[in-house]
Amino acid sequence: MSQETMSMSMSQEESWQSQLVSPEQRLSALLKSSRLADLTINFPGHERCLQAHRLVLAMTSPVFEAMLYGPLAEGEELNLHEDPPEAFEWLLEYMYRGHIQMPEVRLAVQVYQLASKYQVEALMVLCSKYLQETLRPENLAEMYDTAVLLEDEHLLQRCYEVVDLYPTAVLSSPSFGLLSRGALRHLLQRPLHIPTEVILLKALLACSSGAAPSVCQIAKHYRRVLQEQHATRSTLWFYASCMIDTDFPRLFCSLKWGQARRSTKGLRDEISDFLPMVRFLSMTTDEFVEHVMPSGVLSLQEISSILMNIKELMDVPLPTICCPTRDKRLCYVDSLLRRLTLSTTPALARSRKSARGSIFVHNSQEQILIMNLRTSNTLLVSKLECKGIHPTAGSAAVAIKDHNGCVIGSATSEGPVVEFEEHVSLQPDVSHCVTVRLEGHWPRGEMGDFVATTEGVEIEGKIAYTEGRIGSVTLHFWCFN
């Protein structure tokens, strides 16, 4: 080969360096082209393989440094049996470029686990922050396992906040069944602010791979109890009363025949460790008969004993699987209170002359503060604040009414903060109103529309206001979505 031909060949071969001005660009080009690669990474069981550079991997990870340059260094091929290929490719992107655009949550969790495995600490921090920012009730299960496994206190704390605010949504999420047993046990040690134990039971059933027994199996349960086990008259009466109280025949009809079911024994074995965490005694008879009995997780003797204890009919000892606590889990603490300010602005401003401001009212007259109040979720109102509540004498009487005009909560106050002795439940998609009786000044009768949202809760309606001043009411409430 002539000197000129060799020179042209070298010029063409080396041209890629001259077009890249920064080390980052050069490393990126190496990753894309596999130029100068001295390592093949295989993923047994997968067809994909990656070309890489030993030095780059060793520069980023002390684990790879030991694997590739230590006494037991690998050869030209590296077999990674446990690593997901797609997630490892994202890890390589970070190693070569120093920064990456984080993938969707499922993949980000895998990248985080790989970053921990290979001790790429800077990437671990990035992954943790990203997961904290994207954490939602519907994807919490995907992150909780990793947070527990990697002992990520910051991500765990964020998970706790979501569980406290949205316990029902978390437990009812389709992805909840993805939790490992260790993560599930860890989660259930937290306070769960759920309105009924049925939600927890359904979540545990979702964590198993099975389903409830068929109608035929349930019927056999009762035949054995009532016919084969020499049931006493009191037991016969007890079961009959339960079935009548809960419309049990209709429950049978509502279940689908022929649906594939697994054995109740297998289902019981899978979730037996968690059943003592379910507060069966806090359930109503209806809840127990409609949800627990068809699930097949309890034996006939356990069903009989727990039902009798729920109805407190006889002094029957509880089975060991049953939690003795009768209290519901809902915890009304100030740290879980949410706040939402409802306010409106007059649609058309009037002149000072035509604006009459407020009028003086007497406590014999009931004034409407909020009307057509509707919420997207069940809210448990603890108190409300309204600067317009300023009685000149005595105290103001505030009432919350349902769509039929019936008072569902009331309280008195001598100032703008009104606290209810017991929380007032506002049901979703039902119209409510708030009224006030006081002696003092009150908005002159204008009502303005408002829509307010916070953390998955939306409230809308009409609120009284005085022209020249925006009307506003701040609700303090619990919402265990």
Side-chain angles (χ1 to χ4, degrees):
M1 182 182 295
S2 66
Q3 186 69 25
E4 183 180 354
T5 303
M6 185 178 299
S7 177
M8 289 179 60
S9 177
M10 290 180 62
S11 177
Q12 293 174 356
E13 184 70 20
E14 296 173 359
S15 62
W16 68 275
Q17 291 98 336
S18 61
Q19 297 174 6
L20 304 171
V21 298
S22 68
E24 179 183 344
Q25 290 177 337
R26 295 180 190 120
L27 284 172
S28 180
L30 288 177
L31 177 64
K32 290 180 179 178
S33 66
S34 301
R35 189 185 298 271
L36 305 179
D38 57 358
L39 182 67
T40 299
I41 303 175
N42 300 313
F43 303 91
H46 301 272
E47 294 182 358
R48 181 181 302 187
C49 65
L50 301 173
Q51 299 297 315
H53 304 79
R54 307 164 77 92
L55 181 61
V56 176
L57 272 63
M59 287 170 54
T60 314
S61 162
V63 177
F64 277 122
E65 182 181 11
M67 291 173 64
L68 301 175
Y69 290 97
L72 301 177
E74 301 282 347
E76 295 181 357
E77 293 193 2
L78 181 62
N79 295 318
L80 302 178
H81 296 268
E82 300 176 352
D83 298 351
E86 189 178 4
F88 194 90
E89 196 167 359
W90 279 89
L91 178 64
L92 280 184
E93 287 276 343
Y94 175 80
M95 289 180 167
Y96 279 79
R97 294 177 177 169
H99 60 83
I100 56 173
Q101 182 178 356
M102 296 302 296
E104 49 91 18
V105 169
R106 178 192 60 82
L107 196 55
V109 168
Q110 295 178 349
V111 173
Y112 188 14
Q113 293 172 350
L114 289 180
S116 173
K117 176 180 179 179
Y118 297 113
Q119 299 179 24
V120 186
E121 296 184 3
L123 182 56
M124 290 177 63
V125 173
L126 289 178
C127 290
S128 179
K129 288 182 178 179
Y130 173 75
L131 294 179
Q132 292 173 51
E133 293 169 358
T134 56
L135 182 60
R136 302 289 184 273
E138 57 271 16
N139 62 25
L140 179 136
E142 299 178 67
M143 304 187 194
Y144 200 88
D145 261 318
T146 298
V148 173
L149 176 66
L150 303 184
E151 299 181 349
D152 185 340
E153 292 298 329
H154 296 291
L155 183 55
L156 270 176
Q157 185 58 42
R158 178 66 184 131
C159 288
Y160 295 156
E161 293 172 2
V162 172
V163 172
D164 287 344
L165 288 176
Y166 309 103
T168 301
V170 169
L171 295 178
S172 304
S173 169
S175 65
F176 189 79
L178 300 176
L179 276 176
S180 67
R181 295 179 68 84
L184 178 60
R185 186 175 291 104
H186 188 279
L187 177 61
L188 294 184
Q189 291 173 353
R190 296 280 304 171
L192 294 176
H193 311 295
I194 51 178
T196 170
E197 293 298 292
V198 172
I199 295 171
L200 176 56
L201 178 66
K202 288 183 176 181
L204 293 177
L205 294 174
C207 289
S208 71
S209 58
S214 66
V215 174
C216 184
Q217 289 172 321
I218 300 172
K220 288 180 180 178
H221 278 325
Y222 285 95
R223 270 203 301 275
R224 284 199 298 270
V225 169
L226 302 179
Q227 297 177 0
E228 298 175 8
Q229 295 188 357
H230 308 291
T232 64
R233 288 185 179 180
S234 60
T235 305
L236 288 169
W237 170 83
F238 172 68
Y239 275 101
S241 67
C242 288
M243 293 179 185
I244 293 172
D245 290 345
T246 58
D247 198 7
F248 202 64
R250 182 165 27 169
L251 172 64
F252 274 161
C253 295
S254 68
L255 297 176
K256 296 180 180 179
W257 288 82
Q259 186 176 0
R261 306 289 188 179
R262 68 194 296 273
S263 71
T264 58
K265 183 181 183 302
L267 180 63
R268 170 65 175 262
D269 291 343
E270 286 193 28
I271 64 173
S272 60
D273 292 346
F274 304 103
L275 286 178
M277 300 180 183
V278 181
R279 301 180 181 182
F280 292 110
L281 297 185
S282 69
M283 293 182 179
T284 64
T285 306
D286 287 3
E287 290 174 336
F288 190 88
V289 172
E290 293 179 16
H291 298 284
V292 181
M293 289 169 61
S295 71
V297 297
L298 299 178
S299 68
L300 297 176
Q301 185 176 358
E302 290 167 343
I303 288 173
S304 176
S305 299
I306 295 174
L307 268 174
M308 290 182 182
N309 276 274
I310 290 175
K311 294 182 77 80
E312 299 182 297
L313 295 177
M314 305 174 184
D315 186 16
V316 178
L318 281 173
T320 56
I321 201 72
C322 181
C323 172
T325 304
R326 292 181 176 271
D327 298 332
K328 289 187 175 293
R329 293 178 186 267
L330 285 177
C331 182
Y332 305 108
V333 294
D334 290 345
S335 61
L336 298 179
L337 273 175
R338 305 193 208 180
R339 295 179 56 187
L340 188 56
T341 298
L342 320 176
S343 61
T344 185
T345 305
L348 296 173
R350 299 185 183 183
S351 66
R352 184 180 297 274
K353 182 177 180 180
S354 62
R356 292 186 294 166
S358 61
I359 57 176
F360 191 85
V361 297
H362 298 279
N363 57 17
S364 60
Q365 299 172 306
E366 189 174 58
Q367 311 298 325
I368 297 178
L369 177 59
I370 305 175
M371 62 185 296
N372 297 335
L373 174 65
R374 291 178 177 271
T375 75
S376 59
N377 311 76
T378 299
L379 306 185
L380 307 174
V381 179
S382 170
K383 61 182 177 181
L384 62 82
E385 296 179 61
C386 179
K387 295 180 180 179
I389 300 179
H390 276 299
T392 56
S395 59
V398 178
I400 300 179
K401 300 182 179 181
D402 62 15
H403 63 287
N404 293 320
C406 299
V407 176
I408 56 177
S410 61
T412 58
S413 175
E414 297 180 356
V417 180
V418 181
E419 297 192 37
F420 299 94
E421 288 189 10
E422 294 186 4
H423 60 262
V424 183
S425 178
L426 304 184
Q427 297 303 312
D429 300 321
V430 176
S431 181
H432 303 82
C433 73
V434 180
T435 63
V436 180
R437 291 180 184 270
L438 56 72
E439 183 170 309
H441 290 275
W442 190 254
R444 66 183 185 83
E446 296 284 344
M447 303 294 292
D449 295 325
F450 69 84
V451 177
T453 60
T454 179
E455 297 178 327
V457 175
E458 181 176 287
I459 306 177
E460 62 179 25
K462 293 180 178 289
I463 191 170
Y465 68 86
T466 302
E467 280 195 81
R469 292 186 300 169
I470 296 176
S472 68
V473 175
T474 300
L475 289 183
H476 298 251
F477 60 89
W478 293 281
C479 181
F480 303 108
N481 305 22

